[in-house]
Amino acid sequence: MDTLTNTQHPTPSPRPLGATGPVTFPLGLGCMGMSALYGEADRAESTATIHAALEAGITLLDTGDFYGMGHNELLIGEALRSAPAELRDRALTSVKFGALRTVEGGFTGYDGRPEAVKNFLAYSLQRLGRDHIDIYRIARVDPDVPIEETIGAIAEAVQAGHVRHIGLSEVGAETMRRAASVAPIADLQIEYSLISRGIEQEILPTARELGIGVTAYGVLSRGLISGHFSRERELAPGDFRGMSPRFQGENLHRNLDLVEALRKVAEAKGVTVAQTAIAWVLAQGEDIVPLVGARRRDRLSEALGALEVTLDAADLAAIEEAVPAGAAAGERYPAAQMAHLDSEH
């Protein structure tokens, strides 16, 4: 078994995921990059990073059954089995389902039919080696299936004890209301960062009205605003960022200019750019749990340091001046993927 990395940080206050969801550590670990979309990952280091996250107090492990076509769930299952029992027992699994893949790795749509929900769930439980999933959500709304039917199927799994809580992913306010009319919703998983602030207008207020928490992914915009991404960096074949508009040409240069402005704010506080960006999301409300996509223990340790960063009104104003709302160049996904986002319609 890998030796756990003992990362010493003060114990922060836990955050509830909405009015009906579980209480969790204020940061979650997004595990996608350990299996897909960002080039090769080291399996042993990925496992060690999951162990280090649990040791540091992180409870929420976020994945999708389509990350590496099951690879990510198998990895998490192995990491949990090799972790000490007390850490394994308090781990919370958050799983997205519904994306349809090809052998070549392409995406061909989403399936939210009730019979498909039961099928996806059975496979996820087997790969994770668990008898239940803590939060279960369809990754994108299936345009051919009313959200009420998909949520109803997950609610049946809750009744059967296979799922503890129901989540949503990348949905707009109207869909959120429709889903919440069927069963209690713990949280909405959606992109939210200094350069992705679209949820502030309608989606976040609606979630708060309905008592739905937010698990924010992309808080470092896939590394773009981490402070570690350079203009000269060459991406590995298959890296999602090679197709992402924000990493293309002039867009990349404009966005990295924003990062340099943010770096000045971070350096004035004696912290890193990544810690500042994560701390900003943490400061937007106790009902928001940022997911950090660390694939290595050093990046995890840096992210945990954000919990020690306190941003006062002057700091927040300086950050806003450095990275104003709407300042990002380029959409957050390629056009074909943007079309699948109910949250953007």
Side-chain angles (χ1 to χ4, degrees):
M1 186 180 75
D2 293 301
T3 301
L4 298 183
T5 298
N6 186 13
T7 307
Q8 295 294 333
H9 295 280
T11 303
S13 299
R15 295 189 170 194
L17 286 182
T20 62
V23 173
T24 181
F25 192 82
L27 291 179
L29 183 65
C31 299
M32 180 184 74
M34 298 176 179
S35 298
L37 297 181
Y38 296 134
E40 291 294 322
D42 182 285
R43 192 179 189 88
E45 181 61 24
S46 296
T47 300
T49 300
I50 293 172
H51 286 168
L54 295 171
E55 179 75 10
I58 286 177
T59 49
L60 188 66
L61 303 177
D62 184 77
T63 185
D65 63 9
F66 49 92
Y67 292 168
M69 281 72 87
H71 178 281
N72 204 237
E73 288 181 320
L74 289 168
L75 174 68
I76 291 172
E78 292 173 8
L80 289 174
R81 282 191 294 275
S82 58
E86 66 274 15
L87 300 183
R88 178 172 63 247
D89 291 345
R90 69 171 185 243
L92 301 171
T93 52
S94 169
V95 178
K96 292 177 290 298
F97 69 90
L100 304 176
R101 304 294 303 271
T102 67
V103 174
E104 295 75 22
F107 287 86
T108 60
Y110 297 89
D111 193 345
R113 296 171 302 144
E115 56 267 39
V117 174
K118 295 175 183 178
N119 177 77
F120 288 129
L121 176 59
Y123 279 78
S124 285
L125 290 171
Q126 178 69 25
R127 285 188 290 256
L128 288 166
R130 311 273 278 185
D131 63 3
H132 72 275
I133 289 169
D134 293 285
I135 312 171
Y136 202 50
R137 68 187 89 238
I138 190 166
R140 301 287 185 267
V141 175
D142 181 345
D144 298 323
V145 178
I147 191 66
E148 292 87 349
E149 293 185 15
T150 304
I151 296 300
I154 305 175
E156 290 181 7
V158 173
Q159 290 295 317
H162 305 313
V163 171
R164 295 280 168 83
H165 304 280
I166 304 172
L168 294 168
S169 175
E170 285 289 356
V171 305
E174 179 186 352
T175 302
M176 204 183 330
R177 291 186 188 281
R178 289 170 54 195
S181 73
V182 176
I185 305 297
D187 71 319
L188 166 66
Q189 187 172 120
I190 197 162
E191 187 166 355
Y192 188 41
S193 73
L194 272 168
I195 63 171
S196 295
R197 295 175 60 177
I199 72 170
E200 293 175 347
Q201 280 68 52
E202 186 179 15
I203 293 174
L204 184 55
T206 301
R208 286 173 167 162
E209 175 193 335
L210 297 172
I212 296 173
V214 170
T215 42
Y217 76 88
V219 293
L220 296 179
S221 301
R222 300 165 183 84
L224 181 59
I225 60 172
S226 67
H228 301 299
F229 202 93
S230 70
R231 300 175 198 272
E232 299 76 28
R233 180 170 174 178
E234 292 188 11
L235 297 171
D239 192 315
F240 163 81
R241 292 170 292 193
M243 300 180 295
S244 173
R246 289 183 175 172
F247 288 82
Q248 302 300 311
E250 184 59 29
N251 286 351
L252 176 62
H253 290 286
R254 288 171 58 189
N255 291 329
L256 290 180
D257 285 343
L258 297 175
V259 175
E260 290 312 305
L262 184 62
R263 192 185 305 276
K264 294 178 181 178
V265 179
E267 288 177 348
K269 286 190 67 67
V271 299
T272 70
V273 174
Q275 289 167 343
T276 305
I278 297 168
W280 181 88
V281 178
L282 283 163
Q284 302 312 302
E286 294 290 325
D287 54 349
I288 298 173
V289 175
L291 300 173
V292 294
R295 299 193 290 170
R296 305 191 327 237
R297 284 168 286 181
D298 58 337
R299 293 286 192 250
L300 172 66
S301 182
E302 180 184 20
L304 287 165
L307 296 168
E308 302 171 33
V309 178
T310 300
L311 300 176
D312 60 23
D315 295 325
L316 292 169
I319 292 170
E320 183 75 27
E321 183 177 356
V323 188
E331 298 284 2
R332 55 196 183 100
Y333 284 101
Q337 294 183 41
M338 288 292 289
H340 288 294
L341 296 177
D342 182 80
S343 55
E344 295 287 342
H345 298 164

